Each structure stands twice: as C-alpha cells, then as structure tokens.
Amino acid sequence: QVKVVEYGGGSAQAGGSLRLSCVASGYTHNSDCMGWFRQRPGKSREGVALIDSEGRTVYSDSVKGRFTISHNTAKTILYLQMNSLKDDDTAMYYCAANSCFDSPLEESLDRVLGQWWGRGTQVTVSA
C-alpha cells in the first residue's frame, strides 16, 4: 500500500520562498515519474513540475525559472523548492507518484494523472 503525504505548505510573502516535501511510503521512484500539481482557487488542477527516475525534469511555464523539483539520493522524498513566490502561486499543492504511464514528461504535465496522490498542502502567498 502506497501512502503519499505532502509537507511544508504555509504562508509566505510575495518574493519569498517555501520548500515542499513529499513522502511516498511503500514507494521508491525507480521508474515512471513523480510530480507536483496544484489547484488554484476557482481553477482546475494543473501540472507544476515532473521528474522522471533519471532526474529529467519539466516545468509549467508559470513556474519555470522559479521552482525546482528534485528528490533525495534514495529517491524516497520528493521536493519542490519554490522561490520568488507570487500571489498567483496561492493554491493547494499535491504530490503524485507514477504520473507518466510511459508517456513523455512534457505530455504528462498537461494530463494531470497519478497512480497515487497525497491530500495536498496549502500554500498562501500574500502581496
């Protein structure tokens, strides 16, 4: 049984930083991809960043250059370093494991799929 839990959400001022962590117990990222998704108020869930088991990454245009996805050496913890936060980054952030289903990273970011999902962690950015 895989259980995904996100940590690290909270409040920040615009221009500030936060780091999210995701622990997927019972899962090691040896194949497919893992990712971060978010749902902003009044909008559908969207892809933020994905990373495959080789460390290749893809980002949405809205966060490219500001956010960094990574995992620890053992590939048991997924991170999202968020810098230069904007109030538009306010959202519930979700971690998902096995999000690619053998599709390319870029295509998977838009599909918003995941075999296992966490319950989310809230990020609120104030201007």
PDB file of all heavy atoms in Angstrom, residues 1-4 6 14-15 17 29 39 41 51 56-57 60 66 74 77 81 85 93 96-98 112 122 124:
ATOM      1  N   GLN A   1       0.850  -1.179   0.000  1.00  0.00           N
ATOM      2  CA  GLN A   1       0.000   0.000   0.000  1.00  0.00           C
ATOM      3  C   GLN A   1       0.893   1.239   0.000  1.00  0.00           C
ATOM      4  O   GLN A   1       1.737   1.410   0.855  1.00  0.00           O
ATOM      5  CB  GLN A   1      -0.884   0.008   1.249  1.00  0.00           C
ATOM      6  CG  GLN A   1      -1.876   1.143   1.321  1.00  0.00           C
ATOM      7  CD  GLN A   1      -3.143   0.876   0.549  1.00  0.00           C
ATOM      8  OE1 GLN A   1      -3.393  -0.273   0.203  1.00  0.00           O
ATOM      9  NE2 GLN A   1      -3.918   1.894   0.278  1.00  0.00           N
ATOM     10  N   VAL A   2       0.717   2.110  -0.974  1.00  0.00           N
ATOM     11  CA  VAL A   2       1.491   3.345  -1.064  1.00  0.00           C
ATOM     12  C   VAL A   2       0.683   4.472  -0.452  1.00  0.00           C
ATOM     13  O   VAL A   2      -0.496   4.657  -0.763  1.00  0.00           O
ATOM     14  CB  VAL A   2       1.835   3.671  -2.526  1.00  0.00           C
ATOM     15  CG1 VAL A   2       2.536   5.014  -2.623  1.00  0.00           C
ATOM     16  CG2 VAL A   2       2.701   2.568  -3.122  1.00  0.00           C
ATOM     17  N   LYS A   3       1.318   5.224   0.409  1.00  0.00           N
ATOM     18  CA  LYS A   3       0.668   6.392   1.002  1.00  0.00           C
ATOM     19  C   LYS A   3       1.529   7.607   0.724  1.00  0.00           C
ATOM     20  O   LYS A   3       2.719   7.618   1.030  1.00  0.00           O
ATOM     21  CB  LYS A   3       0.487   6.219   2.504  1.00  0.00           C
ATOM     22  CG  LYS A   3      -0.228   7.380   3.173  1.00  0.00           C
ATOM     23  CD  LYS A   3      -0.423   7.133   4.660  1.00  0.00           C
ATOM     24  CE  LYS A   3      -1.130   8.303   5.334  1.00  0.00           C
ATOM     25  NZ  LYS A   3      -1.305   8.093   6.785  1.00  0.00           N
ATOM     26  N   VAL A   4       0.913   8.633   0.172  1.00  0.00           N
ATOM     27  CA  VAL A   4       1.630   9.855  -0.209  1.00  0.00           C
ATOM     28  C   VAL A   4       1.218  10.985   0.728  1.00  0.00           C
ATOM     29  O   VAL A   4       0.018  11.239   0.911  1.00  0.00           O
ATOM     30  CB  VAL A   4       1.307  10.237  -1.667  1.00  0.00           C
ATOM     31  CG1 VAL A   4       2.028  11.516  -2.056  1.00  0.00           C
ATOM     32  CG2 VAL A   4       1.690   9.095  -2.611  1.00  0.00           C
ATOM     33  N   GLU A   6       2.201  15.102   1.772  1.00  0.00           N
ATOM     34  CA  GLU A   6       2.938  16.339   1.490  1.00  0.00           C
ATOM     35  C   GLU A   6       3.194  17.102   2.785  1.00  0.00           C
ATOM     36  O   GLU A   6       2.354  17.091   3.694  1.00  0.00           O
ATOM     37  CB  GLU A   6       2.154  17.251   0.525  1.00  0.00           C
ATOM     38  CG  GLU A   6       1.807  16.630  -0.802  1.00  0.00           C
ATOM     39  CD  GLU A   6       0.436  15.992  -0.826  1.00  0.00           C
ATOM     40  OE1 GLU A   6      -0.123  15.722   0.267  1.00  0.00           O
ATOM     41  OE2 GLU A   6      -0.103  15.753  -1.918  1.00  0.00           O
ATOM     42  N   ALA A  14       4.997  37.610  -1.015  1.00  0.00           N
ATOM     43  CA  ALA A  14       5.447  37.640  -2.400  1.00  0.00           C
ATOM     44  C   ALA A  14       6.939  37.932  -2.441  1.00  0.00           C
ATOM     45  O   ALA A  14       7.435  38.799  -1.703  1.00  0.00           O
ATOM     46  CB  ALA A  14       4.674  38.689  -3.179  1.00  0.00           C
ATOM     47  N   GLY A  15       7.632  37.161  -3.266  1.00  0.00           N
ATOM     48  CA  GLY A  15       9.077  37.293  -3.338  1.00  0.00           C
ATOM     49  C   GLY A  15       9.814  36.330  -2.426  1.00  0.00           C
ATOM     50  O   GLY A  15      11.030  36.160  -2.541  1.00  0.00           O
ATOM     51  N   SER A  17      10.160  32.440  -0.270  1.00  0.00           N
ATOM     52  CA  SER A  17      10.407  31.049  -0.671  1.00  0.00           C
ATOM     53  C   SER A  17       9.736  30.086   0.289  1.00  0.00           C
ATOM     54  O   SER A  17       9.542  30.389   1.466  1.00  0.00           O
ATOM     55  CB  SER A  17      11.912  30.756  -0.680  1.00  0.00           C
ATOM     56  OG  SER A  17      12.605  31.568  -1.596  1.00  0.00           O
ATOM     57  N   HIS A  29      11.095   5.677  -6.167  1.00  0.00           N
ATOM     58  CA  HIS A  29      10.986   6.202  -7.513  1.00  0.00           C
ATOM     59  C   HIS A  29      12.050   5.608  -8.426  1.00  0.00           C
ATOM     60  O   HIS A  29      13.064   6.235  -8.727  1.00  0.00           O
ATOM     61  CB  HIS A  29      11.101   7.734  -7.478  1.00  0.00           C
ATOM     62  CG  HIS A  29      10.808   8.370  -8.793  1.00  0.00           C
ATOM     63  ND1 HIS A  29      11.221   9.643  -9.103  1.00  0.00           N
ATOM     64  CD2 HIS A  29      10.146   7.912  -9.879  1.00  0.00           C
ATOM     65  CE1 HIS A  29      10.850   9.937 -10.321  1.00  0.00           C
ATOM     66  NE2 HIS A  29      10.188   8.898 -10.814  1.00  0.00           N
ATOM     67  N   GLN A  39      -3.892  23.249  -7.411  1.00  0.00           N
ATOM     68  CA  GLN A  39      -5.226  23.708  -7.775  1.00  0.00           C
ATOM     69  C   GLN A  39      -5.421  25.072  -7.151  1.00  0.00           C
ATOM     70  O   GLN A  39      -5.503  25.195  -5.907  1.00  0.00           O
ATOM     71  CB  GLN A  39      -6.304  22.732  -7.294  1.00  0.00           C
ATOM     72  CG  GLN A  39      -7.680  23.067  -7.811  1.00  0.00           C
ATOM     73  CD  GLN A  39      -8.621  21.890  -7.772  1.00  0.00           C
ATOM     74  OE1 GLN A  39      -8.330  20.849  -7.191  1.00  0.00           O
ATOM     75  NE2 GLN A  39      -9.771  22.025  -8.413  1.00  0.00           N
ATOM     76  N   PRO A  41      -7.531  28.650  -6.504  1.00  0.00           N
ATOM     77  CA  PRO A  41      -8.948  28.905  -6.235  1.00  0.00           C
ATOM     78  C   PRO A  41      -9.744  29.123  -7.516  1.00  0.00           C
ATOM     79  O   PRO A  41      -9.377  29.954  -8.360  1.00  0.00           O
ATOM     80  CB  PRO A  41      -8.910  30.173  -5.380  1.00  0.00           C
ATOM     81  CG  PRO A  41      -7.575  30.145  -4.718  1.00  0.00           C
ATOM     82  CD  PRO A  41      -6.653  29.528  -5.722  1.00  0.00           C
ATOM     83  N   ILE A  51       9.356  14.958 -12.514  1.00  0.00           N
ATOM     84  CA  ILE A  51      10.717  14.450 -12.585  1.00  0.00           C
ATOM     85  C   ILE A  51      10.651  12.955 -12.841  1.00  0.00           C
ATOM     86  O   ILE A  51       9.825  12.247 -12.239  1.00  0.00           O
ATOM     87  CB  ILE A  51      11.497  14.770 -11.289  1.00  0.00           C
ATOM     88  CG1 ILE A  51      12.949  14.336 -11.400  1.00  0.00           C
ATOM     89  CG2 ILE A  51      10.833  14.145 -10.064  1.00  0.00           C
ATOM     90  CD1 ILE A  51      13.831  14.898 -10.256  1.00  0.00           C
ATOM     91  N   ARG A  56      15.409  13.716 -15.101  1.00  0.00           N
ATOM     92  CA  ARG A  56      14.957  14.714 -16.083  1.00  0.00           C
ATOM     93  C   ARG A  56      13.707  15.401 -15.547  1.00  0.00           C
ATOM     94  O   ARG A  56      12.871  14.777 -14.901  1.00  0.00           O
ATOM     95  CB  ARG A  56      14.671  14.046 -17.423  1.00  0.00           C
ATOM     96  CG  ARG A  56      15.917  13.563 -18.145  1.00  0.00           C
ATOM     97  CD  ARG A  56      15.555  12.961 -19.487  1.00  0.00           C
ATOM     98  NE  ARG A  56      14.853  11.695 -19.313  1.00  0.00           N
ATOM     99  CZ  ARG A  56      15.426  10.504 -19.451  1.00  0.00           C
ATOM    100  NH1 ARG A  56      16.718  10.432 -19.737  1.00  0.00           N
ATOM    101  NH2 ARG A  56      14.730   9.403 -19.298  1.00  0.00           N
ATOM    102  N   THR A  57      13.600  16.690 -15.827  1.00  0.00           N
ATOM    103  CA  THR A  57      12.515  17.489 -15.266  1.00  0.00           C
ATOM    104  C   THR A  57      11.773  18.276 -16.340  1.00  0.00           C
ATOM    105  O   THR A  57      12.310  18.544 -17.421  1.00  0.00           O
ATOM    106  CB  THR A  57      13.047  18.472 -14.217  1.00  0.00           C
ATOM    107  OG1 THR A  57      14.011  19.335 -14.838  1.00  0.00           O
ATOM    108  CG2 THR A  57      13.704  17.749 -13.055  1.00  0.00           C
ATOM    109  N   SER A  60       5.910  23.780 -15.715  1.00  0.00           N
ATOM    110  CA  SER A  60       4.937  24.613 -16.395  1.00  0.00           C
ATOM    111  C   SER A  60       5.561  25.971 -16.651  1.00  0.00           C
ATOM    112  O   SER A  60       6.484  26.401 -15.939  1.00  0.00           O
ATOM    113  CB  SER A  60       3.676  24.766 -15.547  1.00  0.00           C
ATOM    114  OG  SER A  60       3.950  25.512 -14.377  1.00  0.00           O
ATOM    115  N   ARG A  66      11.614  29.591 -11.439  1.00  0.00           N
ATOM    116  CA  ARG A  66      11.370  29.961 -10.033  1.00  0.00           C
ATOM    117  C   ARG A  66      11.275  28.738  -9.131  1.00  0.00           C
ATOM    118  O   ARG A  66      11.667  28.774  -7.969  1.00  0.00           O
ATOM    119  CB  ARG A  66      10.071  30.765  -9.914  1.00  0.00           C
ATOM    120  CG  ARG A  66      10.061  32.052 -10.715  1.00  0.00           C
ATOM    121  CD  ARG A  66       8.806  32.893 -10.406  1.00  0.00           C
ATOM    122  NE  ARG A  66       7.573  32.219 -10.786  1.00  0.00           N
ATOM    123  CZ  ARG A  66       6.607  31.921  -9.935  1.00  0.00           C
ATOM    124  NH1 ARG A  66       6.716  32.217  -8.654  1.00  0.00           N
ATOM    125  NH2 ARG A  66       5.494  31.323 -10.371  1.00  0.00           N
ATOM    126  N   ALA A  74      18.139   8.657  -2.276  1.00  0.00           N
ATOM    127  CA  ALA A  74      17.455   7.364  -2.204  1.00  0.00           C
ATOM    128  C   ALA A  74      16.154   7.362  -2.996  1.00  0.00           C
ATOM    129  O   ALA A  74      15.512   6.307  -3.125  1.00  0.00           O
ATOM    130  CB  ALA A  74      17.181   7.003  -0.752  1.00  0.00           C
ATOM    131  N   ILE A  77      12.048  10.736  -1.181  1.00  0.00           N
ATOM    132  CA  ILE A  77      11.431  12.019  -0.843  1.00  0.00           C
ATOM    133  C   ILE A  77      11.493  12.911  -2.080  1.00  0.00           C
ATOM    134  O   ILE A  77      12.529  13.033  -2.720  1.00  0.00           O
ATOM    135  CB  ILE A  77      12.145  12.720   0.326  1.00  0.00           C
ATOM    136  CG1 ILE A  77      12.221  11.803   1.549  1.00  0.00           C
ATOM    137  CG2 ILE A  77      11.414  14.004   0.693  1.00  0.00           C
ATOM    138  CD1 ILE A  77      13.034  12.377   2.686  1.00  0.00           C
ATOM    139  N   GLN A  81      11.193  23.163  -4.438  1.00  0.00           N
ATOM    140  CA  GLN A  81      11.711  24.428  -3.930  1.00  0.00           C
ATOM    141  C   GLN A  81      11.047  25.556  -4.712  1.00  0.00           C
ATOM    142  O   GLN A  81      11.166  25.611  -5.936  1.00  0.00           O
ATOM    143  CB  GLN A  81      13.233  24.500  -4.098  1.00  0.00           C
ATOM    144  CG  GLN A  81      13.849  25.799  -3.631  1.00  0.00           C
ATOM    145  CD  GLN A  81      13.724  26.024  -2.143  1.00  0.00           C
ATOM    146  OE1 GLN A  81      13.932  25.099  -1.346  1.00  0.00           O
ATOM    147  NE2 GLN A  81      13.366  27.234  -1.746  1.00  0.00           N
ATOM    148  N   LEU A  85       8.144  33.718  -4.983  1.00  0.00           N
ATOM    149  CA  LEU A  85       6.716  33.405  -4.967  1.00  0.00           C
ATOM    150  C   LEU A  85       5.880  34.614  -5.347  1.00  0.00           C
ATOM    151  O   LEU A  85       6.217  35.761  -5.034  1.00  0.00           O
ATOM    152  CB  LEU A  85       6.312  32.894  -3.588  1.00  0.00           C
ATOM    153  CG  LEU A  85       6.719  31.453  -3.278  1.00  0.00           C
ATOM    154  CD1 LEU A  85       6.641  31.180  -1.785  1.00  0.00           C
ATOM    155  CD2 LEU A  85       5.855  30.469  -4.055  1.00  0.00           C
ATOM    156  N   TYR A  93      -1.306  22.372  -3.121  1.00  0.00           N
ATOM    157  CA  TYR A  93      -0.291  21.652  -3.878  1.00  0.00           C
ATOM    158  C   TYR A  93      -0.356  20.160  -3.558  1.00  0.00           C
ATOM    159  O   TYR A  93      -0.399  19.769  -2.385  1.00  0.00           O
ATOM    160  CB  TYR A  93       1.095  22.200  -3.557  1.00  0.00           C
ATOM    161  CG  TYR A  93       1.362  23.529  -4.240  1.00  0.00           C
ATOM    162  CD1 TYR A  93       0.771  24.695  -3.780  1.00  0.00           C
ATOM    163  CD2 TYR A  93       2.191  23.608  -5.356  1.00  0.00           C
ATOM    164  CE1 TYR A  93       0.982  25.909  -4.419  1.00  0.00           C
ATOM    165  CE2 TYR A  93       2.418  24.814  -5.998  1.00  0.00           C
ATOM    166  CZ  TYR A  93       1.806  25.960  -5.524  1.00  0.00           C
ATOM    167  OH  TYR A  93       2.023  27.164  -6.160  1.00  0.00           O
ATOM    168  N   ALA A  96       2.131  13.555  -6.568  1.00  0.00           N
ATOM    169  CA  ALA A  96       1.626  12.326  -7.171  1.00  0.00           C
ATOM    170  C   ALA A  96       2.782  11.426  -7.576  1.00  0.00           C
ATOM    171  O   ALA A  96       3.831  11.906  -8.032  1.00  0.00           O
ATOM    172  CB  ALA A  96       0.764  12.639  -8.385  1.00  0.00           C
ATOM    173  N   ALA A  97       2.575  10.153  -7.416  1.00  0.00           N
ATOM    174  CA  ALA A  97       3.567   9.161  -7.830  1.00  0.00           C
ATOM    175  C   ALA A  97       3.018   8.363  -9.007  1.00  0.00           C
ATOM    176  O   ALA A  97       1.830   8.072  -9.071  1.00  0.00           O
ATOM    177  CB  ALA A  97       3.888   8.224  -6.679  1.00  0.00           C
ATOM    178  N   ASN A  98       3.928   8.020  -9.915  1.00  0.00           N
ATOM    179  CA  ASN A  98       3.536   7.352 -11.159  1.00  0.00           C
ATOM    180  C   ASN A  98       2.542   8.205 -11.932  1.00  0.00           C
ATOM    181  O   ASN A  98       1.350   7.918 -12.008  1.00  0.00           O
ATOM    182  CB  ASN A  98       2.976   5.958 -10.906  1.00  0.00           C
ATOM    183  CG  ASN A  98       4.062   4.955 -10.603  1.00  0.00           C
ATOM    184  OD1 ASN A  98       5.231   5.325 -10.437  1.00  0.00           O
ATOM    185  ND2 ASN A  98       3.712   3.697 -10.511  1.00  0.00           N
ATOM    186  N   VAL A 112      -2.222  15.587 -15.992  1.00  0.00           N
ATOM    187  CA  VAL A 112      -2.626  15.606 -14.575  1.00  0.00           C
ATOM    188  C   VAL A 112      -3.122  14.233 -14.144  1.00  0.00           C
ATOM    189  O   VAL A 112      -4.279  14.060 -13.723  1.00  0.00           O
ATOM    190  CB  VAL A 112      -3.692  16.689 -14.282  1.00  0.00           C
ATOM    191  CG1 VAL A 112      -3.877  16.876 -12.778  1.00  0.00           C
ATOM    192  CG2 VAL A 112      -3.303  18.017 -14.905  1.00  0.00           C
ATOM    193  N   GLN A 122      -1.526  23.316   1.639  1.00  0.00           N
ATOM    194  CA  GLN A 122      -1.928  24.658   1.189  1.00  0.00           C
ATOM    195  C   GLN A 122      -0.734  25.610   1.198  1.00  0.00           C
ATOM    196  O   GLN A 122       0.036  25.663   2.168  1.00  0.00           O
ATOM    197  CB  GLN A 122      -3.027  25.206   2.106  1.00  0.00           C
ATOM    198  CG  GLN A 122      -3.473  26.609   1.768  1.00  0.00           C
ATOM    199  CD  GLN A 122      -4.204  26.694   0.442  1.00  0.00           C
ATOM    200  OE1 GLN A 122      -4.966  25.794   0.073  1.00  0.00           O
ATOM    201  NE2 GLN A 122      -3.978  27.774  -0.293  1.00  0.00           N
ATOM    202  N   THR A 124      -0.107  29.700   0.647  1.00  0.00           N
ATOM    203  CA  THR A 124      -0.772  31.002   0.517  1.00  0.00           C
ATOM    204  C   THR A 124       0.297  32.078   0.440  1.00  0.00           C
ATOM    205  O   THR A 124       1.139  32.196   1.324  1.00  0.00           O
ATOM    206  CB  THR A 124      -1.687  31.264   1.718  1.00  0.00           C
ATOM    207  OG1 THR A 124      -2.656  30.220   1.808  1.00  0.00           O
ATOM    208  CG2 THR A 124      -2.399  32.597   1.555  1.00  0.00           C
TER     209      THR A 124
END
